[in-house]
Coordinates of all heavy atoms in Angstrom, one line a residue:
L375 N -14.6 114.5 164.1 CA -14.4 113.1 163.6 C -15.0 112.9 162.2 O -14.4 112.2 161.3 CB -15.2 112.1 164.6 CG -15.1 110.7 164.2 CD1 -13.6 110.2 164.2 CD2 -15.9 109.8 165.3
A382 N -10.5 111.5 154.8 CA -9.9 110.2 154.5 C -10.5 109.6 153.2 O -9.9 109.0 152.4 CB -10.0 109.2 155.7
A383 N -11.9 109.8 153.1 CA -12.5 109.2 151.9 C -12.1 109.9 150.7 O -11.9 109.3 149.6 CB -14.1 109.4 152.1
E399 N -1.5 104.5 131.8 CA -0.3 105.0 131.2 C 0.8 103.9 131.0 O 1.4 103.8 129.9 CB 0.3 106.1 132.0 CG 1.5 106.8 131.4 CD 2.0 108.0 132.2 OE1 1.4 108.3 133.2 OE2 3.0 108.6 131.9
S440 N -5.8 73.4 87.8 CA -6.5 73.9 86.5 C -5.9 73.1 85.3 O -6.7 72.8 84.4 CB -6.1 75.4 86.4 OG -6.6 75.9 85.2
S453 N -17.2 66.7 67.0 CA -18.0 65.4 66.8 C -17.1 64.3 66.3 O -16.0 64.5 65.7 CB -19.1 65.7 65.8 OG -18.5 66.1 64.5
S469 N -19.8 43.6 27.0 CA -19.6 42.3 26.3 C -20.7 42.1 25.3 O -21.7 42.9 25.3 CB -19.6 41.1 27.3 OG -20.8 41.1 28.0
Q509 N -11.4 41.6 8.3 CA -11.6 40.9 9.5 C -10.6 41.4 10.6 O -9.5 41.8 10.2 CB -11.3 39.4 9.3 CG -12.3 38.7 8.3 CD -13.7 38.6 8.9 OE1 -13.9 38.4 10.1 NE2 -14.7 38.8 8.0
M517 N -10.4 49.4 32.7 CA -9.8 50.0 33.9 C -10.7 51.1 34.4 O -10.7 52.3 33.9 CB -8.4 50.6 33.5 CG -7.4 49.5 33.1 SD -5.8 50.2 32.6 CE -6.3 50.9 31.0
N519 N -13.7 53.2 34.3 CA -14.6 53.6 33.2 C -13.9 53.8 31.9 O -14.5 54.2 30.9 CB -15.3 55.0 33.6 CG -16.3 54.8 34.7 OD1 -17.0 53.7 34.8 ND2 -16.4 55.8 35.6
I536 N -11.7 54.4 25.0 CA -13.1 54.7 25.0 C -13.5 55.0 26.5 O -13.1 54.3 27.4 CB -13.9 53.5 24.4 CG1 -13.6 53.2 23.0 CG2 -15.5 53.8 24.6 CD1 -14.2 52.0 22.4
S538 N -16.2 54.5 28.8 CA -17.4 53.7 28.9 C -18.5 54.2 29.9 O -19.5 53.6 30.1 CB -17.0 52.2 29.3 OG -16.3 52.3 30.6
T546 N -11.4 58.1 21.5 CA -10.4 58.4 20.4 C -9.7 57.1 20.0 O -9.8 56.1 20.7 CB -9.4 59.4 20.8 OG1 -8.7 58.9 22.0 CG2 -10.1 60.7 21.2
T548 N -6.1 55.7 17.4 CA -5.0 55.9 16.5 C -4.8 54.7 15.6 O -4.7 53.6 16.2 CB -3.7 56.3 17.2 OG1 -3.9 57.4 18.1 CG2 -2.6 56.6 16.2
Y550 N -2.4 52.6 13.3 CA -0.9 52.4 13.0 C -0.9 51.4 11.8 O -1.3 50.2 11.9 CB -0.2 51.8 14.2 CG -0.2 52.7 15.4 CD1 -1.2 52.5 16.4 CD2 0.8 53.7 15.6 CE1 -1.2 53.4 17.5 CE2 0.7 54.5 16.7 CZ -0.2 54.3 17.7 OH -0.3 55.1 18.7
S556 N 0.8 56.7 10.9 CA -0.3 56.7 11.9 C -1.3 57.8 11.6 O -0.9 58.8 11.0 CB 0.2 56.8 13.3 OG 0.9 58.0 13.5
V560 N -11.6 59.7 15.9 CA -12.5 59.6 17.0 C -13.4 58.4 16.7 O -13.6 57.9 15.6 CB -13.4 60.8 17.1 CG1 -12.6 62.1 17.5 CG2 -14.2 61.1 15.8

Side-chain angles (χ1 to χ4, degrees):
L375 180 60
E399 185 177 354
S440 176
S453 58
S469 61
Q509 298 290 325
M517 295 176 290
N519 288 323
I536 298 173
S538 59
T546 61
T548 302
Y550 299 92
S556 62
V560 294

